[in-house]
Amino acid sequence: MRFSTKAIHVGSEGTQDAAGSVNVPISMSVTFDQKRQKEKFEYGRTANPTRLALERNLAALEEGKHALAFSSGMAAITTLMTALKQGDHVVCVDDVYGGTYRLFSEILMDYGLRFTYVDGTDLKKVKKAVNKDTMMLWVETPTNPLLKVVDLKGIAAIAKGEDLISVCDNTFASPYLQQPLKLGIDAVVHSTTKYLSGHSDVLGGAIVTSDGELHEDLQFAQNAMGAVPSPFDCFLTLRGIKTLAVRMDRHCENAEDIVNFLLKHPAVAKVLYPGIPTHPGHGIAKEQMADFGGMVSFVLKEPARAEKFLRSLEIITLGESLGAVESLIDHPASMTHASIPPEQRAARGIGLGLIRLSVGIEDIEDLFEDLGKALEA
Ligand SMILES: *Cc1c(COP(=O)(O)O)cnc(C)c1O
């Protein structure tokens, strides 16, 4: 089966009720009749039929053997970090999702984990940051919000050589555009809140891996810690996934048009998008991604005008999150990345003029008009 067919069918086929429902039934039951059941379910935190359908689907989309679904992306990431023990060291890309950075630096460091942040585009620096206590390499690509591209094959090779767990947060690309496990990465995490569910109406997270031992440990942690999604959330996520392929095609098409529009606009100093041939990661993106994605970042010539610009938009919504049918725009310095200390933010290149746009699937002419008017406001 190919991608779109899997997205629509995998998971739904195993859970047929007496009526032959085409969609996975939302099984709200928390406990299961041990004498009457055909499949083994015990208690809703441990496993649930609707969640299992989503987990099968996610494993298929990432071409992994196992998947676990969680109540949010952060719940998935927190659970994955239980693979590490006190004293373990993690090498993490410096341009990591703000919430991941906050979890690592403000919570997990108190439990004895240690982190080094490096520019993930420089594999020599990544390798140099590995020490005798290092157990994990954590990457995102394209990164947030600077859309840098990390060479996943290169990261996987370093991890294999040093016997580390390699993790890729694949939220920005989605499995439609990038499948890190096929490139040798050990575990993929997702905020399914974003492209996978796609409609800004359900929070969720996932871990996908083909490593049976890691999966068993994480499944134990999922049950022990309990950050599981509701059956209704799983249903909504599965419903979103059915249209992932067509949505992603339109996200990419619209993003490319917006990039060309912004590149020509006099109020814009710089456009960051892996699809631009002069982008430093363009070559690697072309190799490891099917297309360049729906996220576009750009820098205004006059950072002081950022607020006026953002407040003047009428169709594009000023808000956090990304990956949904509606276009969402973000000012990282004051919104999604505000929890990073200002000096570090500046050092990482997240200035006051930086804007992150999650290009939606609206009519492109409406997006051009909205951006054009606001840039001239
Ligand atoms: C949103 C996001 C997360 C966190 O996911 P939640 O569902 O909000 O908990 C993690 N990583 C990336 C790249 C994200 O965009």
Side-chain angles (χ1 to χ4, degrees):
M1 250 192 273
R2 293 163 185 82
F3 191 89
S4 297
T5 314
K6 286 197 277 198
I8 293 164
H9 292 283
V10 175
S12 313
E13 80 283 29
T15 51
Q16 273 153 13
D17 55 8
S21 300
V22 169
N23 287 301
V24 171
I26 302 170
S27 173
M28 294 303 286
S29 204
V30 160
T31 188
F32 303 90
D33 185 331
Q34 307 279 312
K35 279 190 305 208
R36 281 197 307 139
Q37 67 189 180
K38 289 187 197 123
E39 266 186 276
K40 186 132 187 81
F41 288 97
E42 291 162 349
Y43 182 61
R45 172 163 31 76
T46 317
N48 164 286
T50 317
R51 190 170 98 214
L52 189 63
L54 171 62
E55 290 173 339
R56 285 186 179 143
N57 185 284
L58 289 166
L61 295 189
E62 285 288 1
E63 302 207 14
K65 288 201 183 111
H66 315 279
L68 296 168
F70 293 87
S71 55
S72 69
M74 289 319 302
I77 293 170
T78 304
T79 305
L80 180 51
M81 295 312 281
T82 66
L84 303 185
K85 299 286 169 279
Q86 195 170 20
D88 287 349
H89 173 252
V90 179
V91 177
C92 179
V93 292
D94 56 5
D95 198 21
V96 69
Y97 174 69
T100 304
Y101 177 77
R102 181 173 52 197
L103 171 73
F104 288 177
S105 60
E106 295 191 38
I107 297 189
L108 297 182
M109 274 177 66
D110 289 344
Y111 286 80
L113 295 188
R114 281 167 297 151
F115 299 87
T116 300
Y117 298 90
V118 293
D119 179 355
T121 65
D122 187 338
L123 292 178
K124 279 196 209 107
K125 278 193 190 150
V126 173
K127 197 157 182 196
K128 237 175 127 184
V130 173
N131 66 38
K132 66 175 187 6
D133 296 325
T134 308
M135 291 297 287
M136 183 181 274
L137 291 184
W138 188 284
V139 301
E140 276 174 36
T141 181
T143 65
N144 177 17
L146 297 172
L147 302 174
K148 293 196 272 188
V149 175
V150 177
D151 177 353
L152 290 175
K153 270 190 193 157
I155 292 289
I158 295 173
K160 292 249 160 14
E162 308 272 349
D163 206 15
L164 314 173
I165 303 172
S166 53
V167 179
C168 176
D169 182 333
N170 202 27
T171 302
F172 266 40
S174 91
Y176 182 63
L177 300 182
Q178 179 171 279
Q179 291 165 312
L181 299 180
K182 285 210 305 207
L183 303 171
I185 297 292
D186 298 312
V188 164
V189 293
H190 276 286
S191 168
T192 59
T193 313
K194 316 293 168 53
Y195 286 106
L196 282 159
S197 66
H199 295 73
S200 299
D201 57 5
V202 57
L203 280 165
I207 304 173
V208 189
T209 183
S210 290
D211 179 333
E213 210 175 309
L214 179 64
H215 169 72
E216 272 183 32
D217 288 349
L218 295 174
Q219 192 170 34
F220 179 84
Q222 180 194 43
N223 183 44
M225 292 168 71
V228 294
S230 80
F232 185 61
D233 290 353
C234 296
F235 171 85
L236 279 178
T237 305
L238 269 170
R239 176 179 154 124
I241 286 172
K242 287 176 198 281
T243 56
L244 178 66
V246 286
R247 283 188 285 108
M248 288 315 294
D249 282 340
R250 180 67 170 262
H251 281 299
C252 293
E253 199 182 301
N254 275 0
E256 205 184 307
D257 289 347
I258 297 250
V259 165
N260 290 327
F261 173 89
L262 292 172
L263 281 171
K264 281 187 243 137
H265 202 286
V268 175
K270 196 171 176 191
V271 184
L272 309 173
Y273 186 66
I276 301 172
T278 54
H279 183 288
H282 179 70
I284 294 165
K286 229 171 141 174
E287 260 178 48
Q288 70 187 20
M289 299 177 77
D291 204 338
F292 303 106
M295 298 302 297
V296 177
S297 291
F298 56 100
V299 182
L300 294 176
K301 263 193 197 142
E302 295 177 55
R305 288 184 57 186
E307 182 159 356
K308 184 97 194 281
F309 160 68
L310 293 165
R311 303 239 163 239
S312 304
L313 292 163
E314 285 172 4
I315 292 170
I316 299 171
T317 306
L318 177 61
E320 299 197 354
S321 199
L322 59 105
V325 288
E326 70 279 357
S327 293
L328 290 164
I329 204 157
D330 164 46
H331 186 236
S334 66
M335 293 165 60
T336 46
H337 293 65
S339 64
I340 302 171
E343 328 74 70
Q344 265 189 51
R345 220 167 42 220
R348 283 202 214 165
I350 305 171
L352 294 174
L354 181 72
I355 308 287
R356 186 190 79 181
L357 176 60
S358 169
V359 180
I361 62 171
E362 297 97 337
D363 288 297
I364 192 69
E365 295 297 338
D366 287 325
L367 299 181
F368 287 161
E369 280 170 28
D370 202 27
L371 283 170
K373 264 195 269 173
L375 283 168
E376 273 133 48

